[in-house]
Amino acid sequence: PDEKVTLYKELIGLYRDKLKMEAKVAATYQAILKLVPDDAEAFDSLCSQYKTTNRWPDLVKLLKARIEASGPDAAFDLHRQIADIMEERFNNVTEAMRAYEEMRELRPDDIEVIKKLKELYQARRDWTKYVDVAKAELSFPGRRGTFRDLAGVGSPLFAECAGRLSGSLALEGSEGC
């Protein structure tokens, strides 16, 4: 495999610099990754090429494939990239939520992920999931104001969910929330 990878890397220079064949460059990086799935140079270069050429679906596919071979920290970062692409490039909130939910699985106490999920669930009017992440946020020190925010959303359905949340939590000093 080392000899093939070396040859492929030589071909990449030729395809990119002399022949201006970007599709061949991408295909060659993919061939390298098939031989050596954890080749960081090939992965990073292919990601960069996909970004430059706006091949977002291919980039998402590449990132998802990399998640399986990654540790928790790297997987978290890869899910974040997928969430950003899904939200910003495709306006696909459902897929962005899935990526954030995967991030929360990896780091249940990440307050930024919890806040983002709350925002997305509120926008989608998914009050059951909103209440679940609001409960998680309430467990952080200094987060009692969040419950007051729950009641201010104004939806009758949401008021019902907030009532269920109130009944399931016993917060000291939260009278009148």
Side-chain angles (χ1 to χ4, degrees):
D2 291 340
E3 290 177 17
K4 276 189 174 184
V5 170
T6 302
L7 178 60
Y8 282 145
K9 288 184 179 184
E10 288 177 24
L11 288 173
I12 287 170
L14 180 66
Y15 290 145
R16 183 184 53 233
D17 303 332
K18 304 286 186 199
L19 300 173
K20 309 294 185 207
M21 299 174 72
E22 293 302 317
K24 287 282 194 183
V25 172
T28 307
Y29 279 129
Q30 291 168 349
I32 292 171
L33 289 172
K34 283 183 182 176
L35 290 173
V36 185
D38 60 347
D39 186 304
E41 179 187 349
F43 177 78
D44 293 341
S45 296
L46 192 54
C47 285
S48 178
Q49 184 183 18
Y50 286 163
K51 288 176 187 175
T52 302
T53 57
N54 294 321
R55 291 177 59 182
W56 304 111
D58 292 327
L59 178 57
V60 169
K61 184 178 176 183
L62 180 65
L63 295 171
K64 285 182 177 181
R66 187 67 166 215
I67 288 170
E68 295 174 21
S70 300
D73 289 339
F76 184 89
D77 293 336
L78 294 166
H79 282 298
R80 181 176 303 280
Q81 290 179 56
I82 292 168
D84 290 344
I85 292 167
M86 287 301 176
E87 194 171 8
E88 295 168 15
R89 300 290 174 180
F90 295 121
N91 198 26
N92 187 335
V93 176
T94 302
E95 288 299 318
M97 282 189 310
R98 283 190 185 122
Y100 281 110
E101 288 165 348
E102 291 290 335
M103 292 167 66
R104 185 161 178 236
E105 289 279 325
L106 293 167
R107 294 188 193 160
D109 295 334
D110 189 303
I111 190 66
E112 296 306 315
V113 171
I114 290 171
K115 285 180 180 180
K116 187 62 182 182
L117 281 169
K118 266 183 55 184
E119 175 188 317
L120 294 172
Y121 292 151
Q122 182 174 356
R124 297 286 296 216
R125 302 180 63 82
D126 189 338
W127 303 125
T128 303
K129 288 183 179 179
Y130 182 97
V131 168
D132 289 341
V133 293
K135 284 180 185 180
E137 187 178 16
L138 283 169
S139 69
F140 289 95
R143 287 299 200 195
R144 289 194 181 160
T146 303
F147 185 68
R148 288 180 192 86
D149 295 342
L150 288 173
V153 173
S155 163
L157 174 60
F158 192 71
E160 175 187 329
C161 290
R164 282 191 281 155
L165 176 62
S166 175
S168 68
L169 293 175
L171 293 175
E172 234 178 83
S174 63
E175 302 86 14
C177 289

